[in-house]
Amino acid sequence: MAQTSTPISDALLRVEGVSVRFGGIVALDGVSFEVQRGQIAGLIGPNGAGKTTLFNCLSRLYACQEGRITFGSTNLLAVPQHAVAGLGIGRTFQNLALFASMSVLGNVMVGRHSRTGSGVAANALRLPHTGREWQATEARARELIHLLDLDAVAEVPVAALPFGTKKRVELARALAGDPTLLLLDEPASGLNHDEVNGLARLIREVRDRFQLTVLLVEHHMGLVMGISDKVVALNFGRKIAEGTPAEVGAHPAVVEAYLGAAA
């Protein structure tokens, strides 16, 4: 199990009393928790628990009616959606959001856009600094492609790749923006046993190499409990447990949420 010596007061992400409603449906109901710098934190719960809704709030895809989300010292809810990546938040998606006709290299380079400064006019005029920026972007993309063992398919269109490989491409693209917080939305979905084991090692490696904080939504309990420093459990939009993987896995409310009251 992953361990961390991060001081308890050193929170990178604070979610405080967040509530989200869609008409009469309450998707999140006063959810609060913190993720410390350098932690791998797992967010679990049955289908419909509110996990992806919370991720969408963190990405500014959804607005919340109540509560506060703080990233470092920044009120995240005051940040426009297009500026989230530039703050240092990277994300993968449950349903892959790749450009199918583009190569692996092109997809990863797209993930670098939040760290480039050239505008449309400068690129159209091919000013000298745009060429240097392009070269630096490509070099960074190829570094990540090598790290994620994608060299052999760097020039291959994403549409031609198997699902597990596409997952690694999306992770590389998320890392291309140099995030300090990495949001992984069901990274093990669709992967076989060997691929899940490889994913666990990879998540630890990128956390350590890039000094990241990781928050993942995942249904694969073996993965979550094996790599997380802490786990937060949701059910019907409410937090029902928070603690170490062992504490949350044994919590009566979590057992009931997954197995039913008679379990």
Side-chain angles (χ1 to χ4, degrees), residues 160-226:
L161 300 175
F163 187 77
T165 305
K166 291 178 181 177
K167 286 273 191 176
R168 282 186 283 133
V169 174
E170 191 171 49
L171 177 57
R173 188 175 67 181
L175 291 171
D178 292 342
T180 52
L181 174 64
L182 181 62
L183 306 176
L184 301 178
D185 193 352
E186 297 198 23
S189 174
L191 302 185
N192 61 39
H193 178 74
D194 289 339
E195 289 172 330
V196 171
N197 288 337
L199 176 65
R201 291 190 296 271
L202 184 59
I203 292 173
R204 289 195 191 98
E205 181 180 355
V206 298
R207 188 273 301 268
D208 294 341
R209 176 186 284 254
F210 300 115
Q211 298 184 322
L212 299 177
T213 302
V214 179
L215 178 62
L216 71 151
V217 164
E218 187 51 69
H219 284 289
H220 194 292
M221 288 297 99
L223 175 66
V224 174
M225 298 304 183

Side-chain angles (χ1 to χ4, degrees), residues 106-123:
N107 270 276
V108 179
M109 289 178 69
V110 166
R112 191 72 181 166
H113 77 280
S114 65
R115 299 302 179 190
T116 58
S118 299
V120 175
N123 281 283

Side-chain angles (χ1 to χ4, degrees), residues 8-236:
I8 194 167
S9 61
D10 193 20
L12 177 65
L13 178 69
R14 292 183 176 89
V15 177
E16 303 173 82
V18 168
S19 295
V20 176
R21 292 180 291 274
F22 301 106
I25 298 174
V26 179
L28 291 173
D29 188 2
V31 172
S32 298
F33 65 90
E34 294 184 352
V35 181
Q36 310 301 318
R37 293 179 188 273
Q39 278 190 329
I40 298 175
L43 187 63
I44 67 170
N47 288 330
K51 305 181 299 297
T52 296
T53 297
L54 180 58
F55 257 38
N56 286 338
C57 290
L58 298 177
S59 302
R60 300 294 288 120
L61 298 175
Y62 290 170
C64 59
Q65 285 75 39
E66 298 173 8
R68 180 181 177 88
I69 302 174
T70 307
F71 176 65
S73 60
T74 301
N75 175 11
L76 193 59
L77 301 183
V79 175
Q81 183 185 126
H82 69 267
V84 169
L87 281 180
I89 298 177
R91 180 183 177 176
T92 66
F93 290 83
Q94 178 181 350
N95 298 313
L96 294 173
L98 296 169
F99 297 100
S101 63
M102 289 176 60
S103 68
V104 168
L105 177 61
N107 270 276
V108 179
M109 289 178 69
V110 166
R112 191 72 181 166
H113 77 280
S114 65
R115 299 302 179 190
T116 58
S118 299
V120 175
N123 281 283
L125 294 171
R126 298 185 179 181
L127 298 180
H129 74 277
T130 65
R132 293 191 296 270
E133 194 171 73
W134 180 273
Q135 291 172 355
T137 296
E138 181 176 348
R140 177 60 169 161
R142 289 193 182 278
E143 176 188 346
L144 292 168
I145 284 170
H146 180 71
L147 174 65
L148 273 69
D149 195 24
L150 294 165
D151 295 285
V153 295
E155 308 298 336
V156 176
V158 163
L161 300 175
F163 187 77
T165 305
K166 291 178 181 177
K167 286 273 191 176
R168 282 186 283 133
V169 174
E170 191 171 49
L171 177 57
R173 188 175 67 181
L175 291 171
D178 292 342
T180 52
L181 174 64
L182 181 62
L183 306 176
L184 301 178
D185 193 352
E186 297 198 23
S189 174
L191 302 185
N192 61 39
H193 178 74
D194 289 339
E195 289 172 330
V196 171
N197 288 337
L199 176 65
R201 291 190 296 271
L202 184 59
I203 292 173
R204 289 195 191 98
E205 181 180 355
V206 298
R207 188 273 301 268
D208 294 341
R209 176 186 284 254
F210 300 115
Q211 298 184 322
L212 299 177
T213 302
V214 179
L215 178 62
L216 71 151
V217 164
E218 187 51 69
H219 284 289
H220 194 292
M221 288 297 99
L223 175 66
V224 174
M225 298 304 183
I227 68 171
S228 297
D229 298 297
K230 73 176 292 181
V231 176
V232 177
L234 303 180
N235 195 27
F236 295 113

